[in-house]
């Protein structure tokens, strides 16, 4: 019997190009809801266009981070997600949120973690003079931009790169890497083993 398709929730704050990349491929799951902390996020428009449920929560309407995160967990749970994908979601999440989706919460980050956690990763990579840069998809834990790494892709840093040119080349890789990682998750092939993620071979047909 074929395994049930996974239900995927995606959180975005911006243009949503990684969401669009996920929607272009069959990752073995269906994006059932897209949520944002910004009502005008481009990613929400992409989702609506694709006929996917959306909602936005405005942090200013909540007393504190705990209240916002509790509301976000509750609203996401209405869609019964098997997997929650952070695709450019620009908010720090509380341990309550990361615990609620432990083992089924993943993030795409524009650097080769554990180098360059946080913001402005491309400018910082150039400032450090690294020759390889890239992107990482990882399980999310309470620690920002940490958590077991699922997959990474690297690009060469060129002598004439600017943060913008480097970001553009990394983004091309992100659009391959995120669907790849989501597919592995949906196929049930990811085993978290301490800090490591072991990728199981595909099930025999
Ligand atoms: C990507 O670079 C992602 O790695 C980072 O935020 C950016 C989101 O871009 N976390 P988009 O909204 O998917 O176009």
């Amino acid at each position: 019997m074929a395994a049930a398709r996974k239900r995927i929730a995606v959180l975005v704050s911006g243009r949503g190009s990684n969401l669009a990349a996920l929607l272009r491929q069959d990752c073995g799951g269906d994006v059932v809801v897209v949520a944002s902390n910004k009502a005008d996020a481009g990613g929400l428009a992409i989702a609506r266009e694709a006929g996917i449920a959306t909602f936005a929560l405005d942090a200013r309407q909540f007393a504190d981070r705990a209240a916002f995160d509790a509301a976000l967990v509750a609203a996401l749970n209405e869609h019964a997600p098997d997997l929650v994908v952070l695709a450019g979601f620009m908010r720090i999440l509380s341990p309550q949120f990361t615990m609620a989706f432990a083992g089924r919460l993943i993030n795409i980050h524009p650097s080769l973690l554990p180098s360059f956690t946080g913001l402005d990763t491309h400018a910082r990579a150039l400032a450090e003079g690294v020759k390889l840069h890239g992107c990482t998809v990882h399980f999310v834990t309470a620690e920002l931009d940490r958590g077991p790494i699922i997959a990474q892709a690297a690009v060469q840093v060129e002598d004439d790169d600017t943060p913008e040119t480097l970001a553009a080349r990394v983004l091309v890789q992100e659009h391959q890497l995120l669907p790849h990682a989501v597919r592995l998750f949906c196929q049930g092939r990811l085993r978290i083993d301490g800090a490591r993620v072991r990728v199981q071979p595909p099930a025999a047909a």
Side-chain angles (χ1 to χ4, degrees), residues 4 12 41 47 49 61 69 86 98 101 110 119 125 130 152 155 160 172 176 180 188 192 195 199 204:
V12 297
E49 187 101 331
Q61 308 294 316
D69 282 9
L86 307 179
T98 57
F101 297 112
L119 298 175
V130 298
Q152 295 184 300
V155 302
D160 58 355
V172 171
Q176 302 296 321
H180 168 69
I192 301 175
V199 180

Side-chain angles (χ1 to χ4, degrees), residues 14-19 87-88 90 108-110 171 174:
R15 69 195 153 183
S17 71
N18 277 289
L19 167 68
M90 304 302 284
I108 180 143
H109 181 78
L171 193 63
E174 292 185 37

Side-chain angles (χ1 to χ4, degrees), residues 83-173:
L83 172 66
V84 178
V85 178
L86 307 179
F89 189 61
M90 304 302 284
R91 260 185 78 83
I92 292 176
L93 292 164
S94 62
Q96 287 73 21
F97 186 95
T98 57
M99 283 302 292
F101 297 112
R104 54 195 177 107
L105 178 62
I106 71 176
N107 179 47
I108 180 143
H109 181 78
S111 78
L112 293 174
L113 291 173
S115 294
F116 310 120
T117 60
L119 298 175
D120 299 325
T121 56
H122 308 300
R124 287 162 56 211
L126 291 176
E128 293 288 350
V130 298
K131 298 297 186 192
L132 281 177
H133 184 48
C135 50
T136 302
V137 179
H138 64 98
F139 283 107
V140 176
T141 58
E143 208 184 339
L144 180 71
D145 294 332
R146 295 299 175 127
I149 291 172
I150 299 168
Q152 295 184 300
V155 302
Q156 296 275 353
V157 178
E158 306 295 343
D159 287 351
D160 58 355
D161 263 328
T162 64
E164 292 72 30
T165 61
L166 189 53
R169 283 207 314 292
V170 171
L171 193 63
V172 171
Q173 296 301 319

